[in-house]
Amino acid sequence: MKNHSLSGRLWFVLILFGLVGQIAWSVENIYFNLFIYNTISKSTSSVTLMVQLSGIVATFITLFAGILSDRLGNRKYFISLGYLFWGFLTLSFAFVSKENTSLWFGITDETQIIQLTIAIVITLDCIMTAFGSTANDAAFNAYVTDNTGNARSFAEGVLSAMPLLAMLIVAGGFGMIVIALGYPGLFIAVGTLMSLSGVIGLWFIKDHPNLKAQRSDFISDILYGFRTSVILNHKRLYLYFIAMGIYGIASQIYMPYLIIFMQEYLSFNAIQYSIVLAGVILGASVITILLGKQFDGKDKDKLLVQFSSIYIFGMASLYVVAKTLKGYDSTILMVSVGFTSLVLITGFVQVLALLGAQIRDYTPNENTGKLQGIRMIFFVLIPMFIGPMIGQKINETTNLTYIDPANGNIAHVPSPEIFITGAIFCLFIFYPLTLIKRGNQN
């Protein structure tokens, strides 16, 4: 029987920063996309560009910040100060609008105003992502690996539920903030929460006693994860990285457009898609937490194959439901979309949890920070660059559009084909998983 004992203080830190960090990413992934689409320009290409640039920034910042946290032997200040400034940058979005752009820069041409406002949003998003990646992707992820030991899968199971809980809070509770106070109210609320968490971290976070400052060549540390010898000595770890990249691309084909798809293609209003998401996320969160502790001691590679299959089935099912039931009674459509989305999100989270646990288990403890950047290449850079590009190409090819009554411009609508494409692409995940299985047998 495995010991899952972690201190109350450590659980508090894991849950607080895990949840708040995911709330921040969820707001970026859901409401920044909607913010651009609903208030600036109804163009999915702007959403695609923002996701791609954000992924590039996140990866390179994590690569440098992870190494720096190793060299300084400190995660505490990277997490705490990172969350503090991450919150300030999120709050600053409350002041971005087409009206303020016109006022600040003294321009009146609508096209110029839209282009400049989009540029401001994307620039701020990249700067904000830099702080978020330093705090969460680099320092917090390394901190989790440092401190969870033989309770890692259990901790990973709990942490993997955080994106779902964050989506439940953001899509449900924060959706009400948007309805009542608009996007500025949302950005102020989230930014304040993040900055307060950073302040709390200065008192509650304690680095692992074995974490010591490292004296080594910085360039050598950057190149560490790219060395052939490191890859060959950690083949299994890199196969999990490849599996993560495939899974990530499949997910990013549809994920940036998910809420816009529900709003525009399925014609759900904010209350309807909030209800669907709340039910799906709550159900998937319960399943994830219940299963998380059971994963320790089990054949995770076998579970990965099973839940990858469930994930693929969920994406394909949502495509079929959207294509066949569009225009049906709203209650029937909501229930059907909710059920298939529950299958999809359950598979999505379980694959993420299992891959995350395996990557942590096979990451050498003495080089945790150095490999966070490599992890981000497969977890963020490749998926967030390639996935939305595929999704955008599908949206352009299907050419679902309408005339925006606000300005007379053509508005683009995400199509259900993004889900079946994601399902087909995700089939490639079985290749690295098969190689891992063969390696176990040799």
Side-chain angles (χ1 to χ4, degrees), residues 39-42 98 110 114 403-411:
T39 70
I40 302 174
S41 173
K42 290 188 179 295
K98 289 191 295 185
E110 180 71 12
I114 290 174
I403 302 301
D404 182 6
N407 52 32
N409 293 334
I410 295 176

Side-chain angles (χ1 to χ4, degrees), residues 251-266:
S251 302
Q252 288 298 323
I253 288 173
Y254 71 85
M255 192 64 76
Y257 316 106
L258 179 60
I259 307 299
I260 299 174
F261 168 79
M262 289 187 173
Q263 174 182 285
E264 301 298 335
Y265 185 85
L266 298 178

